[in-house]
Amino acid sequence: AGAGRWTVSSMLDAITQDTCLVTLMLANNETGILQPVQELFSALRQSPPRTRCPLLLHTDAAQAIGKVRVNVQDLSADMLTIVGHKFYGPRIGALYHRADPMVKVTPMFYGGGQEGGVRPGTENTSMIIGLGVACQLVSDNLVTYEEHMRTIRDYLRDQLIRNFKLVTSDEPVSLQAGQVCWRYVDRFCLPNTLSVRFGGFRGPELLSLCKEDIEASTGAACHTGGGVSNILLNSFLWGEAGAAETVRLSVGRDTSTQDVERVVKALKRAVEQK
């Protein structure tokens, strides 16, 4: 708890003789933390733990593609998941499946012969093409996208430091209104994401005061209504109270410095109303 990143030793401790699948998020969508998937999977390849069946290695790269370089061969993954709307494509996903007789996936529903017996239903051709185009744009422009998002994210960080009091400790201490804290803004984090704790406010309360200027969240949409996210509890040392004060701020390909300034002004106004 508190690190938000797996290590080889912690992963091996979690694997039992009955483990058949190891699946890791390449990048977390709430904190922006990058997992060392290449290091972890390479370790499993080199020294496989004793299990009843060979391990399948899967990574969910949905949040990483379009923001950082992703190469399935470098990751040593058997399977890799992508989702188009995470990188400006259509809302459709795809699963990379390594061509290997040892890598077998049994479908829940069986398709016809034209679908390889894997997935039933008519293919959504237009979305499949859109996903391919979005992937090509990422391949052609990733350096530009990544540099822009990192520059704007760092500008957001700097503007928060200028307008709020930064607390550098990640211990479970109480923050006052006007104080902010974050853990990762480095090579272990996505270039577009900043997970910020705002003292004196629960995340939804703060965002409701800024709803005219900010589209942000306190966590993943799939955890909405479920209380404080375990991802936040396990990624930082702030405790439940600190996790409840956390807001996920992210920037995109078109986010400008003017957009950032507007957001920070809105956050500052909200805090000053406290």
Side-chain angles (χ1 to χ4, degrees), residues 120-133:
T122 303
E123 288 86 353
N124 190 333
T125 306
S126 58
M127 281 197 170
I128 293 171
I129 293 172
L131 180 64
V133 172

Side-chain angles (χ1 to χ4, degrees), residues 18-174:
D18 294 319
T19 301
C20 59
L21 171 69
V22 175
T23 182
L24 292 168
M25 295 182 77
L26 184 53
N28 185 265
N29 54 328
E30 296 188 54
T31 63
I33 293 174
L34 292 164
Q35 294 293 340
V37 171
Q38 181 176 1
E39 175 189 353
L40 298 173
F41 283 3
S42 294
L44 289 178
R45 296 283 189 207
Q46 294 167 10
S47 301
R50 290 188 176 183
T51 53
R52 297 184 189 275
C53 61
L55 291 174
L56 286 178
L57 306 181
H58 166 264
T59 183
D60 177 356
Q63 199 70 20
I65 291 179
K67 305 175 184 74
V68 294
R69 181 179 179 274
V70 177
N71 185 301
V72 69
Q73 304 300 333
D74 291 345
L75 294 174
S76 297
D78 295 316
M79 295 178 288
L80 180 146
T81 301
I82 69 173
V83 180
H85 69 274
K86 294 292 187 178
F87 52 96
Y88 295 77
R91 190 175 288 270
I92 185 174
L95 175 68
Y96 165 85
H97 183 295
R98 186 160 59 86
D100 187 324
M102 297 298 294
V103 181
K104 298 180 180 179
V105 176
T106 302
M108 295 179 64
F109 303 99
Y110 292 87
Q114 80 277 21
E115 293 140 354
V118 175
R119 183 188 183 279
T122 303
E123 288 86 353
N124 190 333
T125 306
S126 58
M127 281 197 170
I128 293 171
I129 293 172
L131 180 64
V133 172
C135 289
Q136 188 63 55
L137 287 171
V138 168
S139 296
D140 294 343
N141 301 286
L142 179 61
V143 172
T144 300
Y145 295 158
E146 183 177 1
E147 287 180 353
H148 173 77
M149 286 186 284
R150 191 180 304 280
T151 297
I152 297 297
R153 191 276 314 275
D154 289 349
Y155 185 73
L156 170 61
R157 174 200 60 194
D158 295 343
Q159 287 299 305
L160 289 172
I161 292 173
R162 288 175 179 270
N163 288 273
F164 297 88
K165 184 177 180 181
L166 176 64
V167 176
T168 56
S169 172
D170 60 3
E171 296 300 319
V173 297
S174 297

